[in-house]
Amino acid sequence: MKIISIEFENLNSLAGHWKIDFAAADFAASGIFAIIGAGKTTILDAVCLALFGRTPRVKVSGAENEVMSKNRGGCMAEIVFENNGKVYLSRFEQRRARNRPDGALQSVQRSVQELGNPATLVTMIRDVEAKVTEYLGM
């Protein structure tokens, strides 16, 4: 599997919208890079959320979300990855009622699809988990 890009919003201490495009010229030209400074674990949390809907270190469910930045109305994580010559998009999102920081947590929304093939869009959580496993080859 090759990660092409990671996009996330309001995760842990990294409030706001963030995107890392590993296909950008700076990353592609060097071939190797290091992620240093604050936010490294949050990037890993974004990858785990986007692919698996959970992280190994914090709780995320319909009843609680410890990964969402404080005083925010929602969070999301999205990953574009390539495997066996195909490109996929996997997404996690959870909002609070009316996108208000004090709103009740809403259900987690997940999706996965092979890019360029709209017929492959899967949104039922159980089916998303199975498709991600299939697409990753794990």
Side-chain angles (χ1 to χ4, degrees):
M1 176 186 97
K2 177 181 177 183
I3 297 174
I4 297 171
S5 68
I6 305 167
E7 192 168 348
F8 60 95
E9 184 175 294
N10 299 330
L11 296 182
N12 298 320
S13 61
L14 294 179
H17 190 89
W18 301 83
K19 182 169 184 176
I20 304 169
D21 183 1
F22 294 106
D26 290 342
F27 286 113
S30 64
I32 191 168
F33 56 89
I35 299 173
I36 59 171
K40 298 178 296 295
T41 305
T42 299
I43 293 169
L44 295 175
D45 285 344
V47 170
C48 291
L49 283 172
L51 290 173
F52 308 111
R54 60 188 175 278
T55 71
R57 64 186 198 101
V58 291
K59 294 180 184 174
V60 178
S61 68
E64 63 183 319
N65 185 326
E66 295 177 358
V67 76
M68 187 185 305
S69 299
K70 302 290 184 214
N71 299 314
R72 300 296 168 161
C75 66
M76 75 86 164
E78 186 175 273
I79 187 168
V80 176
F81 65 96
E82 180 181 2
N83 196 23
N84 295 325
K86 294 183 180 178
V87 179
Y88 305 95
L89 172 86
S90 187
R91 182 178 173 85
F92 165 95
E93 182 175 12
Q94 188 171 36
R95 297 274 166 215
R96 294 189 174 276
R98 294 176 286 289
N99 285 328
R100 294 178 51 145
D102 60 347
L105 275 176
Q106 304 298 297
S107 297
V108 167
Q109 302 295 311
R110 293 190 57 207
S111 64
V112 66
Q113 94 177 86
E114 179 185 336
L115 288 180
N117 187 351
T120 62
L121 177 64
V122 177
T123 58
M124 300 232 1
I125 290 181
R126 194 172 337 135
D127 297 338
V128 169
E129 291 175 5
K131 279 294 180 188
V132 167
T133 300
E134 176 186 327
Y135 292 159
L136 289 173
M138 301 169 96

